[in-house]
Amino acid sequence: MHKQRAFIGHHGPELLDDGTTRFRIWAPDAQNVSLIVVGAQTLPMTANEDGWYSIDAPYGAGTLYRFLIDDELQVPDPASRAQAGDVHAPSLVVDTSSNYLWRNPNWLGRSWEETVLYEMHVGLYGGFAAMEKHLADLAELGVTAIELMPIAEFPGDRNWGYDGVLPYAPEAAYGSPEELKHLIDTAHGLGLMVFLDVVYNHFGPDGNYLGRYAKHFFRHDQQTPWGDGIDFRRREVRDFFIDNTLMWLLDYRFDGLRFDAVHAIPDRSFLTELAERVHASVEPGRHVHLVLENEDNRASLLTAGFTAQWNDDGHNVLHALLTDESQGYYADYHQDATTKLARFLGEGFIYQGQNNRRGEARGEPSGHLPPTSFVLFLQNHDQTGNRAFGERLVSLADADALRAATAVLLLSPMVPLLFMGEEWGARQPFLFFTSHHGELADAVREGRRNEFAEFAEFADEATRERIPDPNAVSTFENSRPDFSARQEPGHAEWYALYRELLSIRHREIVPRLQGAHFLESRVLAQAAVLSRWQLGDGSRLRLELNLGTQAAPLPTASISGELLFASREATHAHDQLAPRMARLYLEKAA
C-alpha cells in the first residue's frame, strides 16, 4: 500500500499540515466573499490581489462548505473536489493525499502502440464500483485501456457528462473519489490503462455560477455552440483547466485524457502550454497520453505534445460506405467516397485543407504523421448517440461488410477504439440522456428534436415527437447494454471475431508499430481499395478491402506475405477480391 503527496493547484481547497484548510476562490466581480461552513459558522474571506479571496480556517477533511457572494448568493466551490450531492449542494473537503492507499504504486502505464481503447459510460454500468466487475473480461478480450466518458459533477444523476459544471469533482451519483481511485487501481492491476474524457470548451447550463462573480472567465466576443467562449487569455482561467488536468493525472493516476471538441478552444497556445505542463510534471518513465477531438484536423498539434486525435474522417467515410447514409455531415463523405476511403487509409485525415460541403477549408496535411497518431473507431458515444434513435451499426450495416470494416478497425496500424457492447454486437440503442427539470428539461427536449428537422424522415413535427425524451428515465435505462447477452446466439460470433482480431493485433501488429508510416493507398474499384503501411521493423502490412457489392480486380503483380486474416472465404479468382471482404497480409522483413 502506498500514499502519495497531493497535487496542489491554484484553485480549490488546500489541506495544511496543522490540520486547517486554506479555502480560496477567484471572484474578481464580487464585492465581498464569505466562507460558509455547514453546521458551524460563516467567516469573511480576505480580498487579495487580482480578484482572489482566501481564508485559513480550522476545519479539515470532511468539512462541508459553500461560498457566500456579496451576502446574497451561496455557491459551491468551482474547484470542489467532491460534492455532498448535486451541483447545487455543499462542497466537500477531500484529503487527496491519504484518502486512498494505492496497491499498484509502481504502475507506469503502457506504450501508446499497445493501446486498444474501450469507451464506457460509468452511469450505465452502475457506478465506479460496479464497473470494476467488467474489467477482467475486457483485459482478457484484448482491451488495454478503458476510456470513461466525462465524470465531472453534472446536474441530476443521468447525463452523458458533457453538461458538467464542476470539473474537479467526480460525479457523486457514480461514487466517491476513493471509489474512483479503486477502479483505476484495479484496472492497473489487470494491466489496463484508464483514460478520462474531459470537457474544457464549455460548462453545462445548470449549476454554473462563474458568470456572477467571475464574468471575465468568459468572452462575449467569441461564441461556441454552447454560448460565450471561455477566455483562455487569462492566467487564472488557464490555471483552472491545466490544474484540473494535472489533478486527474497525478492524484487519480489516470493514464491519459481525451480532450473534447478542442476546435471550440481557438487559443492554441493554451493547448500547447497544457501539454508542456503535463510532460514536465509526470514522473520520469511514466506513459501519459493526451488525445484530441478536433473537427479542424489540426495535424500540427500532433507534433506539439499531443499523442493522437480521434479520426472522425475515417469513421465518417466508413459509415457512409457501410450504410449509404448521406444526410448531415455524411454528405461530405458520401460523394466520391472511394477516393476519400483511400486517402484516409493512406494519409490519416481526409480533409487536409480541402473545402467541405459549406465551402469551408478544413484541416492540415497529415500524411507525414505515423498511423498511430489517429484513433480509429466504427462507433462511439457521438456517432451512435447523436442518431435520433441511437441505433448501433450492427442494426444498420450488412454483416459481411461490417466484419470487413471491423478487420480494418482492429488490424490497421491506427489505434482502435471500441464502444461498449460493440464487441458482442449489442443491439440496445445508445440514446442521448439527461436529468434536467422544469423549463430547462423542456428546452433540451425540444432542442434535441429540432436538431433533426433538416432530415427528410423527421420533416414533420409529429415524427420528431417520436424521438425519445432525453430526460425520461426510460431513455437512460433503454441505453444500458445487456451484459449477459455476450454468449448468446447472434452475439457470441461477434465476440469471437473481436477476440480473434485482437489476438492477431497484439501478436503481429503491436510489436511492429513503433516507427510505422503510411506507404500507399489506391482505388481498385467502387468502394474497394488497396493500402500498405511500412511497419517499424521493416515489414509491410497490406490491406485489400472491398466494401462494395461487386468483385474488385486486384493487381496482377503478386505480393508475397503471410495472410493474417480474411473476413470471409474467397469466392472469386485469385486476381479478384470478393464483395464485402477484407484481407490483411504481413510481408515480413528479411
Side-chain angles (χ1 to χ4, degrees):
M1 299 290 187
H2 174 78
K3 294 182 180 181
Q4 66 181 49
R5 183 174 179 83
F7 166 72
I8 306 299
H10 298 79
H11 296 259
E14 177 185 353
L15 282 166
L16 304 177
D17 292 339
D18 60 2
T20 64
T21 299
R22 178 166 296 155
F23 297 90
R24 54 198 166 197
I25 182 174
W26 186 58
D29 295 299
Q31 299 303 308
N32 63 80
V33 180
S34 297
L35 171 71
I36 299 176
V37 178
V38 177
Q41 58 186 150
T42 298
L43 302 170
M45 300 178 71
T46 301
N48 307 121
E49 293 182 358
D50 300 323
W52 285 93
Y53 290 81
S54 67
I55 186 173
D56 292 356
Y59 300 97
T63 299
L64 296 176
Y65 69 101
R66 287 187 172 101
F67 295 122
L68 178 62
I69 307 296
D70 294 338
D71 301 316
E72 62 182 20
L73 177 66
Q74 295 187 26
V75 301
D77 188 340
S80 167
R81 269 36 175 195
Q83 287 294 102
D86 207 0
V87 295
H88 304 288
S91 300
L92 178 69
V93 177
V94 175
D95 184 355
T96 56
S97 64
S98 62
N99 68 337
Y100 185 78
L101 299 176
W102 292 91
R103 294 164 293 156
N104 298 285
N106 297 320
W107 170 263
L108 294 176
R110 301 182 67 157
S111 72
W112 179 244
E113 289 77 16
E114 297 176 275
T115 304
V116 175
L117 288 157
Y118 189 92
E119 188 183 23
M120 312 169 80
H121 184 278
V122 177
L124 292 176
Y125 280 79
F128 300 131
M131 181 177 275
E132 279 192 38
K133 301 173 184 177
H134 298 268
L135 298 184
D137 286 343
L138 292 175
E140 194 271 338
L141 175 66
V143 169
T144 64
I146 62 171
E147 179 175 313
L148 309 183
M149 288 177 64
I151 61 172
E153 188 72 53
F154 51 74
D157 55 9
R158 303 181 308 278
N159 200 293
W160 273 19
Y162 299 90
D163 283 342
V165 293
L166 298 174
Y168 286 77
E171 168 58 38
Y174 295 166
S176 66
E178 293 87 347
E179 287 175 311
L180 174 56
K181 289 183 178 182
H182 196 277
L183 167 68
I184 296 168
D185 203 5
T186 298
H188 290 169
L190 293 167
L192 292 169
M193 296 182 285
V194 187
F195 286 62
L196 178 64
D197 193 343
V198 294
V199 182
Y200 293 166
N201 51 59
H202 75 287
F203 291 86
D206 181 19
N208 172 26
Y209 297 96
L210 283 165
R212 165 62 178 81
Y213 57 82
K215 296 177 182 176
H216 296 296
F217 209 99
F218 306 94
R219 49 186 304 181
H220 308 301
D221 63 331
Q222 192 177 87
Q223 294 298 301
T224 75
W226 309 280
D228 289 345
I230 294 173
D231 194 350
F232 290 99
R233 299 170 299 181
R234 295 186 176 274
R235 182 74 264 160
E236 295 84 359
V237 175
R238 286 189 175 220
D239 286 339
F240 184 86
F241 291 105
I242 293 174
D243 287 352
N244 182 252
T245 293
L246 294 174
M247 181 200 74
W248 293 125
L249 295 174
L250 301 180
D251 281 353
Y252 286 89
R253 299 194 65 77
F254 278 97
D255 299 278
L257 301 176
R258 180 261 192 189
F259 298 90
D260 177 69
V262 301
H263 48 269
I265 303 176
D267 193 332
R268 177 189 171 114
S269 66
F270 161 72
L271 295 171
T272 55
E273 180 188 347
L274 183 152
E276 290 168 0
R277 289 274 302 277
V278 166
H279 295 304
S281 300
V282 298
E283 58 264 45
R286 184 178 168 199
H287 296 283
V288 168
H289 311 296
L290 306 179
V291 181
L292 300 172
E293 181 198 22
N294 188 354
E295 288 183 2
D296 290 340
N297 283 1
R298 296 296 181 198
S300 52
L301 282 171
L302 302 178
T303 58
F306 291 93
T307 310
Q309 179 178 313
W310 276 27
N311 196 348
D312 287 296
D313 279 2
H315 165 274
N316 293 349
V317 72
L318 287 168
H319 187 95
L321 286 165
L322 288 170
T323 67
D324 200 34
E325 293 181 3
S326 61
Q327 297 193 77
Y329 51 75
Y330 290 128
D332 282 334
Y333 301 88
H334 188 271
Q335 184 177 16
D336 202 14
T338 308
T339 300
K340 291 172 180 173
L341 176 67
R343 188 184 306 150
F344 138 65
L345 290 169
E347 301 177 40
F349 292 143
I350 293 173
Y351 284 91
Q352 303 178 40
Q354 296 89 345
N355 289 346
N356 61 18
R357 68 189 185 282
R358 299 188 180 96
E360 302 162 342
R362 172 174 169 242
E364 298 173 345
S366 61
H368 62 287
L369 296 170
T372 50
S373 293
F374 305 92
V375 174
L376 180 59
F377 44 86
L378 296 177
Q379 301 175 85
N380 63 31
H381 74 274
D382 266 334
Q383 307 298 350
T384 303
N386 280 333
R387 302 180 65 82
F389 298 108
E391 307 99 322
R392 291 172 177 263
L393 203 50
V394 70
S395 302
L396 302 171
D398 172 84
D400 284 337
L402 183 54
R403 277 189 284 270
T406 301
V408 178
L409 169 70
L410 297 181
L411 295 183
S412 89
M414 301 185 197
V415 169
L417 177 139
L418 286 60
F419 184 57
M420 56 180 186
E422 81 168 75
E423 75 275 18
W424 73 80
R427 290 185 179 272
Q428 288 80 22
F430 180 72
L431 300 162
F432 176 68
F433 48 80
T434 60
S435 48
H436 297 307
H437 302 283
E439 293 182 1
L440 179 57
D442 294 338
V444 169
R445 182 190 310 110
E446 293 310 308
R448 171 69 174 169
R449 290 171 176 171
N450 289 335
E451 287 177 12
F452 297 94
E454 67 178 84
F455 291 82
E457 60 267 41
F458 298 107
D460 65 278
E461 185 175 346
T463 304
R464 292 198 297 275
E465 288 181 358
R466 294 174 45 233
I467 297 173
D469 177 0
N471 299 291
V473 175
S474 59
T475 302
F476 173 79
E477 292 296 337
N478 290 340
S479 299
R480 199 186 300 274
D482 181 1
F483 301 108
S484 66
R486 195 178 70 197
Q487 299 303 333
E488 294 179 359
H491 296 291
E493 296 84 355
W494 283 108
Y495 194 76
L497 173 66
Y498 275 74
R499 182 194 297 275
E500 178 186 4
L501 289 170
L502 285 172
S503 176
I504 295 170
R505 181 177 186 86
H506 288 300
R507 184 178 67 249
E508 301 290 353
I509 308 298
V510 167
R512 299 179 167 93
L513 275 182
Q514 189 170 11
H517 61 267
F518 295 104
L519 270 184
E520 66 163 334
S521 190
R522 49 179 156 149
V523 172
L524 298 175
Q526 181 70 26
V529 298
L530 184 149
S531 302
R532 293 194 304 153
W533 300 273
Q534 181 85 43
L535 301 181
D537 66 347
S539 59
R540 293 184 174 184
L541 182 66
R542 178 175 182 241
L543 166 68
E544 299 170 353
L545 175 64
N546 183 4
L547 296 177
T549 57
Q550 302 295 321
L554 290 167
T556 54
S558 63
I559 299 178
S560 61
E562 171 191 353
L563 177 65
L564 293 181
F565 181 79
S567 64
R568 56 181 295 199
E569 292 185 9
T571 57
H572 289 71
H574 70 279
D575 61 347
Q576 289 189 318
L577 183 63
R580 295 167 174 165
M581 182 176 184
R583 282 196 296 243
L584 287 109
Y585 294 87
L586 182 66
E587 183 179 357
K588 296 182 179 179

